[in-house]
Amino acid sequence: MSVTDELLQNAERYAADFDKGHLPIVPDRHVAIVTCMDARVNPFAIFGLHEGDAHIIRNAGGIVTDDVLRSLAVSQRLLGTEEIIIVHHVDCGIRKFDNSEFLDQIEEESGLRPPWGSDAFPTLADDVRQSVARVHASPFLPRKHSVRGFVYDEKTGRLLET
Amino acid sequence: MSVTDELLQNAERYAADFDKGHLPIVPDRHVAIVTCMDARVNPFAIFGLHEGDAHIIRNAGGIVTDDVLRSLAVSQRLLGTEEIIIVHHVDCGIRKFDNSEFLDQIEEESGLRPPWGSDAFPTLADDVRQSVARVHASPFLPRKHSVRGFVYDEKTGRLLET
């Protein structure tokens, strides 16, 4: 049995006990959280969130890319979120490799160089500040009064504001 | 007190009881899940996941964009995931508006047309199949033996494979 099949058995159990069919599409807490895809980062648990509370946007690094700006534009303009929380984390995969070497390796194997990269700045705090700055610089987001950036430490479970 | 400040109080409680500092960076279940940012979709609860189990990638729609392919390339090439699960959902915000009108509205307000759009296909199943097809078409992902697409119904909690 594949892992996917095992997870689908869990999903059947979730559906059997499901009691959240009444929740509206607009997030109850009017907040969007941007964070890394890392398996150890559980934004529901960290922030005490439940189904219906918040938009959660995740990619490799929790970097504010164009696709994250698209998601935030949908979140704010169509679904009424007001605040943005950005969380990067200490032991992040994308800070463990050289971006150029990663792209070189893919190019060698596939014959094509990807149109994207995973840019990392000198320090983790710089990464977070760059992502916060990209939100502020975007002409497409109407609400920027609360855009806050954090570093999560997966060894201690603590958040540090940058 | 802002919503962000309230959520930070929750985060302090999470850190106070934290006992997961030993988890490795490689996801235990070797799976990456791509899904929508929608507040009602909780992949941890749906799939019975815990911290450390799976990469979770989320954007508006759960669409496989270039940024999702970047994240999946990092997930597979650097962190050893093998299977991919893609989940869209019935009551999705990006199927509720016309993409051109959304971009027109942003252009009117900001003076700039965004470089991105939120493309929706005729049916939700088409959306899922398009995202699965983009994974299969990508030259940058080495493992495509298990790429499965689903529609989640937030009214019933059920997943339907497409």
Side-chain angles (χ1 to χ4, degrees), chain B residues 28-67:
Chain B
D28 185 58
R29 306 312 308 272
H30 302 287
V31 62
I33 297 171
V34 178
T35 191
C36 184
M37 68 180 180
D38 189 279
R40 296 162 296 179
V41 177
N42 180 347
F44 286 89
I46 293 171
F47 291 110
L49 297 169
H50 301 97
E51 282 92 338
D53 280 347
H55 283 149
I56 300 179
I57 300 160
R58 306 184 66 169
N59 65 15
I63 300 166
V64 173
T65 59
D66 270 0
D67 195 48

Side-chain angles (χ1 to χ4, degrees), chain A residues 4 6 10 29 39 52 83, chain B residues 4 6 29 39 47 52 58 83:
Chain A
T4 298
E6 281 183 54
N10 293 344
R29 308 311 309 272
E83 301 178 32
Chain B
T4 298
E6 282 183 53
R29 306 312 308 272
F47 291 110
R58 306 184 66 169
E83 300 178 32

Side-chain angles (χ1 to χ4, degrees), chain A residues 4-24:
Chain A
T4 298
D5 286 322
E6 281 183 54
L7 299 187
L8 290 174
Q9 289 186 340
N10 293 344
E12 284 184 21
R13 281 193 284 275
Y14 179 73
D17 294 332
F18 191 72
D19 60 358
K20 300 176 182 75
H22 60 287
L23 294 171

